[in-house]
Amino acid sequence: MTGADSTIGARRHRVTLMGDTVVQGAGGRLQRNKPVIADVWAEASRSASLTTTDEGMARSEKATFTLAFSAAYLGARYAEWEGRLYRLGGYRLTGTITRQISFDGTLAA
């Protein structure tokens, strides 16, 4: 397999990318909406760590998503994967011929 073929084969996880908008709802209340940007096939991995806090041990979960680039994905602020919602902190662009975008996310509360 070539490098591009192996990357495509690694994208076996279905991920929903979502934006983040705040609109004024009934009675003037602000409502946060997460409109779907796209459902994509991505290479995804999860990691977890334990940290000590004043209340005891706390578990934090992170995930990384890598997929083919589209300009529409730059507006992604959340990703849903395997029933969990992740807050995306930023992105990285890689590749010149086969452009890819990678997101790092933390489990949303």
Side-chain angles (χ1 to χ4, degrees):
M1 259 199 272
T2 65
D5 293 339
S6 63
T7 301
I8 291 170
R11 294 184 199 146
R12 62 180 174 270
H13 300 278
R14 195 70 169 161
V15 176
T16 301
L17 298 177
M18 295 173 276
D20 187 20
T21 60
V22 177
V23 295
Q24 191 168 4
R29 295 186 193 122
L30 296 178
Q31 296 176 326
R32 174 159 274 149
N33 294 328
K34 296 176 184 71
V36 172
I37 293 172
D39 287 316
V40 297
W41 290 104
E43 180 179 346
S45 63
R46 182 180 296 129
S47 64
S49 63
L50 291 173
T51 55
T52 305
T53 65
D54 293 338
E55 293 82 29
M57 298 297 281
R59 180 178 187 269
S60 63
E61 185 175 308
K62 296 181 180 184
T64 301
F65 308 100
T66 303
L67 51 140
F69 174 77
S70 171
Y73 304 161
L74 296 175
R77 298 296 176 258
Y78 290 93
E80 185 176 26
W81 175 44
E82 295 183 341
R84 291 185 169 109
L85 185 65
Y86 294 90
R87 173 91 168 121
L88 302 178
Y91 63 87
R92 290 179 307 284
L93 299 175
T94 57
T96 54
I97 296 171
T98 306
R99 199 82 164 138
Q100 296 183 55
I101 186 168
S102 296
F103 294 99
D104 292 323
T106 56
L107 192 62

